[in-house]
Amino acid sequence: MKPIIKEKSKKRIAWKKVIITVVLAGILFVAAGWAVFGMMVARQDISLLAKPLPAATIIYDQQEKEASRISLNTYEAVSYDTLPKHLVDAVVAVEDKRFFEHDGTDIWGIGRALVTNLVNDKTVQGASTITQQLAKNVFLSQERTWSRKWNEVLLAKKIEENYDKKQIIEKYLNQIYFGEGAWGIKRAAETYFGKKVNQLTLSESAMLAGIIRAPSALSPLKHLDKAKERRNVALQLMKEQGKISASMYDSAIRAPIKLRSSKPSGENAFKYPYYVDQIIREASDLYGLTENEVLHGGLRIYTTLDTKMQQAAERVYAQESLFPESKADQLIQSGAVLVDPRDGGIKALIGGRGKQPFRGFNRAVQLKRQPGSTMKPISVYTPAFEQGYSPDDHILDEPVDFGGYQPKNAGGAYHGDVSIYDAIVHSYNVPAVKILNEIGIDAGMDASNRFGIELTDADRTLGLALGGLQEGVSPLDMAEAFGVFANDGTRMPAHSIIRIESADGEILAEAAENTGKKTTEPSVARTMTSVLEGVVREGTGEAAALEDRPVAGKTGTTEMPGTGGEGAKDNWFVGYTPQLVGAVWLGYDHTDGNHYLTTTSKAAAAVFQELMSEALKGEPVIAFPKAPGISGKKQDKSKDGEKEEKKSKSDKDSDNSNKDHGKSDKDRDKKDEDRSQDRKHGNKDKGKRNDD
């Protein structure tokens, strides 16, 4: 038995040696790792924290000339001693409850984020402390990557070694964005409550703390209910963490919110705020930069902006008489964009009428509304021409029923045997639906996607022919799509940024060289352009005609239910010359039984006409390339003397009525009445809207 005992004893000793070796190796590894970590922390440069922020960002136009200087450093930094205790407590409760305990990173928070990210197989959650957020805002981009998170940790550790907690939260609150153009806590207190920071109540402090995470979406000036909900969350966290008593919580919850009635002066002092908004959006979506970095980072942003065109657009949108008369309680809104179809450069952009907050709703790019008949050239007639249809082909405009779907023309009239040319020019609905049915909905879906209009399976209906989309489009979407026709069948992605440089000249982002995406054949694009010239010359888009300059385009209207065909939700006009595409939308932000348009798409066409006329002043007149196959049709018309007859209004109307196949006298009279009204947008056009 003794040899067995000795053998067991030897095994125990061997295992002890192994365990001791492993422990010692682990200790050495940790020590070495800690030493390496310390060296990496020591190498971090945080000197920028001592420099005054923010630095002005300069926007350069297409000629690389300074167009706008964005400097939002109108705040005065406040010291920690002037911050109310309940403000600091609220921010800490919401953003980093262990702020005064950790040394820059929260291990428990990182652990939770790590598990969440591993489960989702991507970085979906951060665990940034206030110190890390300060590091990110000042030194790093907003992209969610492991490498950025690691750099954030190193910087946070270095910050904690050089600044105490009071200094850190002071710098944090003086630099972060609170929405509505308010950078820093001093500006936020003034913007929202018209107060000095030390006068903020518990309820107000909790509201400001609550909106830090998403200032644009939670701004109490625009989204009061959401801001109140977020304030209540902040107060609940403060109560749970023992920072306020139950009675203080109850009192703060019931406290009325008294917002400042007008914003302090100085906001929106920089030029072209809607264009700047698009730059920020593009910098974030394409290049991962934050709003803070764009507006505070002292960047040099080179863009496709044409200042002459932008200024012209702003002048046009300042003319109230150009737009339909609005209801007293809600302004008829509009968005417009001008794009060079040859390279996709956004030349000018207007996101709304009237006074708008900076980073407010930008209707030129954020709008999602049904495009109406402006979709017909994209979803119906381009794929039809690709399949061999011609503008000279004829189709019967008559009552139809596709399994319960019964499209009707605006005004209710039918026109018998019509050419595709006339169906497009006068925006008849039934021929468009019939042709989409003939070529197949899949062909229309495919063409729409090629033109950059994103569709879903819910759009796979014959309503696609008339722009009945589930999601809708923006003016920028439509400008990029119609740019295909202007650019011989090639789509150029619309963009505003050429490159972004740091203050010392380092290139941070640069637009890739893009030769465009072939969308359709040049012959199809030229054919469509020739027909769309007819829309402006003799059809629904006459109000968009430009003096001494060729222009093509398409009208669009979406009907307002319950108005007997008298009302519309949206007016559109999308048109182009060889060097510039313009898209204009008109409508109420909130459409209901009391707020709808009583104009035809002539209203949008007239805005387009003024916009393009002003923007193209001094620009060369360029002819469209000759279209194959249909130029003879136009020449025949002029040989018949119709061009000469158009010298008088009555002859012109008579001519057009002769071209309306199968129209009733009543329908022709309606068209004559519409034309006599011309651009009186505020009046109802009774029963005649060719472009629903």
Side-chain angles (χ1 to χ4, degrees), residues 47 80 177 201 258 288 306 342 347 414 514 533 540 634:
S47 60
Y80 183 86
Y177 184 55
T201 66
K258 298 178 181 178
D306 186 314
R342 299 165 296 187
K347 299 302 179 186
Y414 298 95
N514 200 321
E533 283 187 275
T540 57
K634 295 177 183 176

mmCIF file of all heavy atoms in Angstrom, residues 47 80 177 201 258 288 306 342 347 414 514 533 540 634:
data_model
loop_
_atom_site.group_PDB
_atom_site.id
_atom_site.type_symbol
_atom_site.label_atom_id
_atom_site.label_comp_id
_atom_site.label_asym_id
_atom_site.label_seq_id
_atom_site.Cartn_x
_atom_site.Cartn_y
_atom_site.Cartn_z
ATOM 1 N N SER A 47 -4.242 66.980 -25.857
ATOM 2 C CA SER A 47 -3.993 68.417 -25.740
ATOM 3 C C SER A 47 -5.122 69.258 -26.329
ATOM 4 O O SER A 47 -5.330 70.401 -25.943
ATOM 5 C CB SER A 47 -2.667 68.783 -26.419
ATOM 6 O OG SER A 47 -2.704 68.436 -27.804
ATOM 7 N N TYR A 80 -17.931 74.595 -13.346
ATOM 8 C CA TYR A 80 -18.645 73.558 -12.588
ATOM 9 C C TYR A 80 -19.415 74.167 -11.417
ATOM 10 O O TYR A 80 -20.518 73.716 -11.092
ATOM 11 C CB TYR A 80 -17.649 72.510 -12.079
ATOM 12 C CG TYR A 80 -18.314 71.364 -11.338
ATOM 13 C CD1 TYR A 80 -18.799 70.270 -12.038
ATOM 14 C CD2 TYR A 80 -18.458 71.393 -9.948
ATOM 15 C CE1 TYR A 80 -19.418 69.221 -11.373
ATOM 16 C CE2 TYR A 80 -19.074 70.353 -9.278
ATOM 17 C CZ TYR A 80 -19.556 69.273 -10.002
ATOM 18 O OH TYR A 80 -20.176 68.245 -9.331
ATOM 19 N N TYR A 177 -23.996 68.779 -27.926
ATOM 20 C CA TYR A 177 -25.077 69.404 -28.687
ATOM 21 C C TYR A 177 -26.416 69.057 -28.052
ATOM 22 O O TYR A 177 -26.711 67.891 -27.768
ATOM 23 C CB TYR A 177 -25.041 68.906 -30.131
ATOM 24 C CG TYR A 177 -26.055 69.557 -31.039
ATOM 25 C CD1 TYR A 177 -26.111 70.948 -31.169
ATOM 26 C CD2 TYR A 177 -26.944 68.797 -31.786
ATOM 27 C CE1 TYR A 177 -27.024 71.554 -32.016
ATOM 28 C CE2 TYR A 177 -27.857 69.389 -32.643
ATOM 29 C CZ TYR A 177 -27.899 70.771 -32.743
ATOM 30 O OH TYR A 177 -28.797 71.368 -33.581
ATOM 31 N N THR A 201 -34.504 74.649 -13.121
ATOM 32 C CA THR A 201 -35.186 73.856 -12.101
ATOM 33 C C THR A 201 -34.832 72.381 -12.261
ATOM 34 O O THR A 201 -34.213 71.981 -13.261
ATOM 35 C CB THR A 201 -36.703 74.014 -12.228
ATOM 36 O OG1 THR A 201 -37.120 73.435 -13.485
ATOM 37 C CG2 THR A 201 -37.114 75.480 -12.176
ATOM 38 N N LYS A 258 -42.304 75.492 -19.174
ATOM 39 C CA LYS A 258 -42.414 76.837 -19.729
ATOM 40 C C LYS A 258 -41.253 77.077 -20.688
ATOM 41 O O LYS A 258 -40.147 77.437 -20.275
ATOM 42 C CB LYS A 258 -42.409 77.874 -18.611
ATOM 43 C CG LYS A 258 -43.594 77.731 -17.647
ATOM 44 C CD LYS A 258 -43.517 78.756 -16.519
ATOM 45 C CE LYS A 258 -44.687 78.597 -15.555
ATOM 46 N NZ LYS A 258 -44.610 79.558 -14.427
ATOM 47 N N GLY A 288 -19.472 58.539 -42.099
ATOM 48 C CA GLY A 288 -19.397 58.230 -40.677
ATOM 49 C C GLY A 288 -19.051 59.384 -39.763
ATOM 50 O O GLY A 288 -18.710 59.168 -38.596
ATOM 51 N N ASP A 306 -23.598 75.435 -56.049
ATOM 52 C CA ASP A 306 -23.512 76.596 -56.932
ATOM 53 C C ASP A 306 -24.186 77.746 -56.193
ATOM 54 O O ASP A 306 -25.418 77.785 -56.078
ATOM 55 C CB ASP A 306 -24.227 76.302 -58.259
ATOM 56 C CG ASP A 306 -24.056 77.428 -59.280
ATOM 57 O OD1 ASP A 306 -24.227 78.606 -58.891
ATOM 58 O OD2 ASP A 306 -23.774 77.133 -60.453
ATOM 59 N N ARG A 342 -25.222 65.468 -65.251
ATOM 60 C CA ARG A 342 -23.994 64.948 -65.862
ATOM 61 C C ARG A 342 -23.034 64.362 -64.835
ATOM 62 O O ARG A 342 -22.217 63.500 -65.167
ATOM 63 C CB ARG A 342 -23.321 66.057 -66.665
ATOM 64 C CG ARG A 342 -24.186 66.591 -67.801
ATOM 65 C CD ARG A 342 -23.676 67.904 -68.351
ATOM 66 N NE ARG A 342 -23.725 68.990 -67.367
ATOM 67 C CZ ARG A 342 -23.458 70.264 -67.636
ATOM 68 N NH1 ARG A 342 -23.129 70.605 -68.883
ATOM 69 N NH2 ARG A 342 -23.528 71.181 -66.697
ATOM 70 N N LYS A 347 -26.705 71.213 -56.883
ATOM 71 C CA LYS A 347 -26.327 72.615 -57.068
ATOM 72 C C LYS A 347 -27.040 73.543 -56.087
ATOM 73 O O LYS A 347 -26.493 74.563 -55.675
ATOM 74 C CB LYS A 347 -26.633 73.061 -58.502
ATOM 75 C CG LYS A 347 -25.882 72.269 -59.559
ATOM 76 C CD LYS A 347 -24.383 72.360 -59.340
ATOM 77 C CE LYS A 347 -23.597 71.568 -60.365
ATOM 78 N NZ LYS A 347 -22.149 71.557 -60.059
ATOM 79 N N TYR A 414 -62.981 60.109 -71.050
ATOM 80 C CA TYR A 414 -62.169 59.155 -71.806
ATOM 81 C C TYR A 414 -61.997 59.710 -73.208
ATOM 82 O O TYR A 414 -62.819 60.481 -73.706
ATOM 83 C CB TYR A 414 -62.832 57.775 -71.829
ATOM 84 C CG TYR A 414 -62.978 57.189 -70.442
ATOM 85 C CD1 TYR A 414 -64.158 57.345 -69.718
ATOM 86 C CD2 TYR A 414 -61.920 56.502 -69.842
ATOM 87 C CE1 TYR A 414 -64.287 56.830 -68.440
ATOM 88 C CE2 TYR A 414 -62.040 55.987 -68.559
ATOM 89 C CZ TYR A 414 -63.227 56.151 -67.863
ATOM 90 O OH TYR A 414 -63.351 55.656 -66.594
ATOM 91 N N ASN A 514 -17.092 58.462 -60.046
ATOM 92 C CA ASN A 514 -18.268 57.694 -60.433
ATOM 93 C C ASN A 514 -18.608 57.972 -61.887
ATOM 94 O O ASN A 514 -18.875 59.116 -62.266
ATOM 95 C CB ASN A 514 -19.453 58.070 -59.533
ATOM 96 C CG ASN A 514 -20.535 57.005 -59.542
ATOM 97 O OD1 ASN A 514 -20.827 56.427 -60.569
ATOM 98 N ND2 ASN A 514 -21.118 56.754 -58.377
ATOM 99 N N GLU A 533 -40.666 66.918 -73.682
ATOM 100 C CA GLU A 533 -40.675 68.293 -74.203
ATOM 101 C C GLU A 533 -42.097 68.675 -74.623
ATOM 102 O O GLU A 533 -42.526 69.824 -74.447
ATOM 103 C CB GLU A 533 -39.730 68.420 -75.397
ATOM 104 C CG GLU A 533 -38.263 68.498 -75.048
ATOM 105 C CD GLU A 533 -37.414 68.785 -76.276
ATOM 106 O OE1 GLU A 533 -37.061 67.828 -77.000
ATOM 107 O OE2 GLU A 533 -37.116 69.973 -76.520
ATOM 108 N N THR A 540 -49.742 69.174 -70.037
ATOM 109 C CA THR A 540 -50.067 69.575 -68.662
ATOM 110 C C THR A 540 -48.986 70.430 -68.025
ATOM 111 O O THR A 540 -49.228 71.038 -66.979
ATOM 112 C CB THR A 540 -50.268 68.320 -67.790
ATOM 113 O OG1 THR A 540 -49.076 67.519 -67.843
ATOM 114 C CG2 THR A 540 -51.466 67.516 -68.259
ATOM 115 N N LYS A 634 -43.068 65.614 -84.975
ATOM 116 C CA LYS A 634 -43.106 67.022 -84.607
ATOM 117 C C LYS A 634 -43.015 67.901 -85.852
ATOM 118 O O LYS A 634 -43.691 68.902 -85.969
ATOM 119 C CB LYS A 634 -41.958 67.350 -83.665
ATOM 120 C CG LYS A 634 -42.069 66.648 -82.343
ATOM 121 C CD LYS A 634 -40.861 66.969 -81.521
ATOM 122 C CE LYS A 634 -40.920 66.202 -80.223
ATOM 123 N NZ LYS A 634 -39.729 66.402 -79.438
#
